[in-house]
Amino acid sequence: MIKYFAPAEKNGAPQRDANQAPAKDRPWLFRTYSGHSSASESNALYRKNLTKGQTGLSVAFDLPTQTGYDSDHVLARGEVGKVGVPISHLGDMETLFDGIPMGEMNTSMTINAPAAWLLSLYIAAAERQGVDRKDLTGTVQNDIIKEYLSRGTYIFPPKPSLKLIADTVAFTYTEVPKWNPMNVCSYHLQEAGATPVQELAFALATATAVLDEVRKSGQVPEEDFSIVVGRISFFVNAGIRFVTEICKMRAFTELWDEITRSRYDVEDPKLRRFRYGVQVNSLGLTEQQPENNVYRVLLEMLAVTLSKGARARAVQLPAWNEALGLPRPWDQQWSLRLQQIVAYETDLLEYADIFDGSKAIEEKVLALKEEAMAELGRIDALGGAVNAVDQSYMKRQLVESNANRLAAIECGDQIVVGVNKYTETEESPLTTGEGSILTIDPKAESEQIERLRTWRESRDSSAVESAIDALRDAAREDRNIMEPSIACAHAGVTTGEWGQALRDVYGEYRAPTGISGAASAGVSNIEDARARVNDASDKLGRRLKMLVGKPGLDGHSNGAEQIAVRARDAGFEVVYEGIRLTPAEIVDAALQENVHVVGLSILSGSHISLVADVLERMKAKGLDDVPVIIGGIIPPEDEATLLAAGVARVYTPKNFDLNAIMADIAGIVQDTAAAA
């Protein structure tokens, strides 16, 4: 007979009774990234989500706001309220947080180039609520370097952009001490194709570039610098290879601890802590069999919650259907419930780090750290992250790694279920019927513009001019711009006016595309596409020439870059001038370059209005015989509208075979020429 004995005491302390409920860690902040149409509609969405158990806000701003333009600017056409909420002035910010106690809310704002301005509006709105700025808690992303590399919502050149970040950091550590003034964002690096090593190295290089700039600015006494280091936070991405992602997060925590100790002499372990929030991978969401995305999101979430020592402090999850279009409130609720089930129904929060002592984990973490440090050494040799941006080193690395990822999917080396394997499927009942994705009422833009005009007419013009002059003076004199920006907010200055005032001082910037220096990936099965391009070129008497254009303010250039690289590899002559072009500029370039085909890439939901504008201008310039193709996240009903308007072909995420796309485009050009 087996006898059972009471457990022995360890170090003199009685062991916990197995029936005793263990103490639980506090869960992370539950967020959903949201905002659309208008401040009032977004406010209603936020209040509803908070009643469902969301514990923090994550504000998505529309592209005009993110790039420092008012809603009635020419570049804002078709973009207002599409990928986020339009915030043009203090009145919009007050509406956005109406009925939400700002002193009790932890708010994350995904905003970069105009981060100082949106934080100023937030502070001004809180002051109108009677909340002391010292009681505010939250984060502004404020990572401009990754904007040059991946997302494209930059405004100013790197040096003044770093200066604005340093101003925000120096201001908040005393004035808004609970606020995270800079959220180093590697999320979009992974979306642009970064490997785990690149994500580690590029993010840490960005963090050190910012902290070095703050130290150099002299705005923070040396004895307080550790406090500033302790307020820097990170925003990361977690992909589907969740063991690797767990190791990446453990590597992040260890590397940050080492860097802050050795480079910045931070002695307090709490101030060396790697504090991060996360949104898991959107790059891997599939249009095909989109219900499978639920499993992907769960596995990716586990990567940032399973390891206690490297656990996220805030989590927001994409919705299962974001490869199809904007998620509905129900879709966001589903993602929120996933978080709550993991946090409250499982025993995840009851244990110490379950990976401590794992040989496999330790070996992978060490390998990632060594490779990341080697990459950091290469960036340092170039003079740091800013120089690496100007020299196109980091951008070129991302374009190449993304090309390798796509090539692996095309040839089947990287399996994506439902895309390149197990493609047989039943029709999903979740994607059928009207209202399966959220659509933005076209009236939202005109209504926002009307509210903006009313705001301008109702304010004190002399107070506005005086506040803008004071802001320009601060910028010219290299003073901190935060207090003048808050004064601008209270005076009624608009987002576009704030942005223009600093454009007048700092100028604008166009980041390198990374296309010209990017090495070709080892693309297999490209011969048929090359033969089709060569045949069409021979029949037309010159090399096929494609213009790849990014109209409007959508800065997500990853797809356009990969099309440009593959088109070049297939034998096209390619014209690609980067992001943020007006339809007029694209049509003028098509005329001057005498191209055979115009390819437009739009992921912001503004495809209907922008494509219509391009088609009208091409017809007026006598280019109506040049086919137009478009790629993006485009719902079927919009695809039908675009084809009826004269677009030759629409490509969406389901069209992952770039070689097939190249052959198809060559055929479109040849057929169009024959018909003419």
Side-chain angles (χ1 to χ4, degrees):
M1 183 177 68
I2 299 174
K3 294 184 178 180
Y4 294 91
F5 295 90
E9 293 187 1
K10 184 178 180 182
N11 299 327
Q15 296 298 291
R16 189 177 68 194
D17 187 327
N19 296 318
Q20 178 184 345
K24 280 192 174 185
D25 293 334
R26 284 194 306 172
W28 50 89
L29 283 171
F30 303 149
R31 285 179 170 149
T32 55
Y33 179 57
S34 53
H36 65 84
S37 301
S38 68
S40 59
E41 288 202 33
S42 298
N43 170 264
L45 177 62
Y46 296 165
R47 293 169 72 167
K48 181 181 294 184
N49 284 347
L50 290 170
T51 66
K52 294 177 180 177
Q54 186 173 306
T55 53
L57 293 179
S58 182
V59 181
F61 297 98
D62 73 353
L63 288 173
T65 305
Q66 291 184 51
T67 48
Y69 291 113
D70 283 333
S71 298
D72 57 354
H73 191 277
V74 61
L75 277 170
R77 182 181 176 187
E79 306 281 16
V80 177
K82 285 285 171 60
V83 300
V85 57
I87 299 295
S88 295
H89 47 72
L90 180 56
D92 285 341
M93 187 66 84
E94 287 187 285
T95 299
L96 187 65
F97 287 93
D98 182 43
I100 299 173
M102 298 174 73
E104 301 172 20
M105 185 53 53
N106 189 303
T107 302
S108 171
M109 296 193 285
T110 301
I111 196 75
N112 295 284
W117 172 240
L118 271 297
L119 178 57
S120 295
L121 288 173
Y122 190 84
I123 291 170
E127 290 173 344
R128 296 286 183 94
Q129 277 193 7
V131 177
D132 191 309
R133 58 178 68 168
K134 286 184 167 55
D135 293 329
L136 298 176
T137 59
T139 302
V140 276
Q141 195 168 99
N142 211 5
D143 178 354
I144 199 63
I145 290 178
K146 63 92 181 174
E147 294 298 324
Y148 300 132
L149 297 176
S150 57
R151 194 161 169 269
T153 63
Y154 54 79
I155 302 174
F156 314 111
K159 288 185 178 179
S161 293
L162 277 182
K163 190 265 181 190
L164 292 177
I165 298 173
D167 284 358
T168 310
V169 172
F171 172 82
T172 54
Y173 98 94
T174 55
E175 292 296 310
V176 200
K178 299 177 185 178
W179 197 269
N180 300 318
M182 200 267 179
N183 196 227
V184 182
C185 181
S186 66
Y187 173 84
H188 292 102
L189 300 179
Q190 189 178 124
E191 295 292 298
T195 65
V197 168
Q198 290 169 336
E199 193 177 341
L200 285 163
F202 293 3
L204 293 171
T206 296
T208 55
V210 168
L211 287 172
D212 290 350
E213 178 69 18
V214 173
R215 175 176 268 175
K216 187 178 71 174
S217 74
Q219 296 188 72
V220 177
E222 192 60 33
E223 60 270 20
D224 289 349
F225 197 74
S226 291
I227 300 172
V228 167
V229 173
R231 295 314 306 174
I232 299 298
S233 62
F234 290 76
F235 188 74
V236 307
N237 201 329
I240 193 66
R241 293 171 58 82
F242 81 100
V243 175
T244 298
E245 295 295 315
I246 289 169
C247 294
K248 181 189 75 181
M249 296 319 307
R250 290 171 70 95
F252 254 135
T253 63
E254 293 179 20
L255 285 168
W256 186 241
D257 184 80
E258 294 166 13
I259 288 170
T260 52
R261 183 195 296 113
S262 62
R263 188 179 183 116
Y264 300 116
D265 302 315
V266 179
E267 296 180 0
D268 187 344
K270 291 183 179 179
L271 298 179
R272 297 198 305 265
R273 186 180 299 155
F274 185 81
R275 300 178 307 115
Y276 77 98
V278 63
Q279 172 162 317
V280 306
N281 191 279
S282 294
L283 182 66
L285 299 180
T286 63
E287 181 181 1
Q288 302 94 319
Q289 301 178 26
E291 61 277 3
N292 294 341
N293 293 330
V294 176
Y295 309 128
R296 295 184 176 107
V297 169
L298 172 58
L299 288 169
E300 290 162 353
M301 179 189 167
L302 292 178
V304 294
T305 55
L306 279 177
S307 180
K308 180 178 179 179
R311 183 172 293 150
R313 294 168 65 95
V315 176
Q316 59 192 46
L317 303 178
W320 67 282
N321 58 349
E322 287 190 20
L324 307 178
L326 289 175
R328 301 156 298 183
W330 182 86
D331 305 313
Q332 291 193 327
Q333 174 184 298
W334 199 2
S335 292
L336 176 62
R337 293 293 181 252
L338 189 156
Q339 290 200 58
Q340 292 166 331
I341 289 167
V342 171
Y344 295 126
E345 294 191 25
T346 76
D347 56 357
L348 174 66
L349 299 176
E350 298 172 12
Y351 292 92
D353 200 309
I354 60 177
F355 297 103
D356 286 349
S358 165
K359 184 178 179 181
I361 294 289
E362 289 175 358
E363 288 177 351
K364 182 64 175 177
V365 170
L366 180 60
L368 287 171
K369 287 172 62 177
E370 289 176 347
E371 292 178 58
M373 290 303 293
E375 184 63 39
L376 276 168
R378 288 187 281 272
I379 294 170
D380 282 341
L382 294 172
V386 172
N387 285 350
V389 168
D390 280 334
Q391 296 175 37
S392 195
Y393 171 76
M394 291 195 287
K395 180 66 172 178
R396 187 169 62 250
Q397 295 296 310
L398 292 177
V399 172
E400 289 179 8
S401 60
N402 203 15
N404 290 331
R405 181 189 67 85
L406 290 172
I409 294 172
E410 285 178 295
C411 71
D413 287 346
Q414 181 173 329
I415 292 174
V416 182
V417 174
V419 174
N420 62 1
K421 198 172 182 66
Y422 309 118
T423 55
E424 301 79 8
T425 185
E426 301 294 335
E427 185 177 10
S428 170
L430 295 174
T431 61
T432 56
E434 290 187 14
S436 59
I437 58 170
L438 179 68
T439 56
I440 304 301
D441 190 333
K443 293 190 298 184
E445 181 166 327
S446 59
E447 290 171 352
Q448 172 66 13
I449 291 172
E450 184 58 37
R451 285 190 295 271
L452 174 60
R453 289 172 178 163
T454 301
W455 175 268
R456 289 192 187 119
E457 292 168 359
S458 64
R459 62 189 182 171
D460 183 338
S461 298
S462 61
V464 169
E465 291 176 11
S466 178
I468 292 174
D469 288 343
L471 174 65
R472 278 202 200 93
D473 289 344
R476 289 194 184 104
E477 296 164 12
D478 206 30
R479 291 187 281 112
N480 193 298
I481 55 88
M482 282 303 301
E483 288 290 8
S485 294
I486 295 170
C488 281
H490 280 297
V493 171
T494 67
T495 295
E497 290 165 343
W498 182 90
Q500 188 57 50
L502 295 188
R503 283 180 172 94
D504 291 343
V505 178
Y506 299 139
E508 291 194 76
Y509 184 72
R510 290 194 69 79
T513 66
I515 294 298
S516 58
S520 298
V523 181
S524 60
N525 303 319
I526 198 174
E527 292 77 13
D528 289 346
R530 283 178 178 156
R532 191 71 189 268
V533 172
N534 289 336
D535 182 58
S537 298
D538 291 342
K539 284 184 169 62
L540 295 176
R542 65 183 177 96
R543 178 61 47 189
L544 291 193
K545 196 171 190 178
M546 179 195 303
L547 184 149
V548 178
K550 288 285 297 177
L553 296 175
D554 170 32
H556 288 85
S557 59
N558 307 325
E561 291 156 3
Q562 293 307 313
I563 288 293
V565 169
R566 187 61 60 85
R568 182 192 65 191
D569 291 347
F572 282 92
E573 186 177 345
V574 178
V575 179
Y576 176 60
E577 298 178 350
I579 64 171
R580 214 178 299 172
L581 300 173
T582 65
E585 289 171 330
I586 288 172
V587 173
D588 286 345
L591 183 63
Q592 293 166 13
E593 295 285 349
N594 193 23
V595 299
H596 292 100
V597 59
V598 173
L600 304 177
S601 171
I602 307 171
L603 285 90
S604 63
S606 56
H607 39 266
I608 296 292
S609 58
L610 288 175
V611 171
D613 196 350
V614 169
L615 290 172
E616 289 171 8
R617 292 175 183 275
M618 288 182 68
K619 185 176 182 179
K621 294 278 188 179
L623 296 175
D624 46 330
D625 59 340
V626 175
V628 174
I629 59 176
I630 179 172
I633 299 175
I634 299 170
E637 57 270 25
D638 287 359
E639 179 177 350
T641 300
L642 291 167
L643 293 173
V647 170
R649 196 79 84 240
V650 175
Y651 302 105
T652 67
K654 69 178 181 293
N655 305 110
F656 69 95
D657 188 338
L658 298 187
N659 292 333
I661 290 175
M662 294 305 123
D664 190 37
I665 293 172
I668 291 169
V669 172
Q670 192 169 340
D671 292 346
T672 302

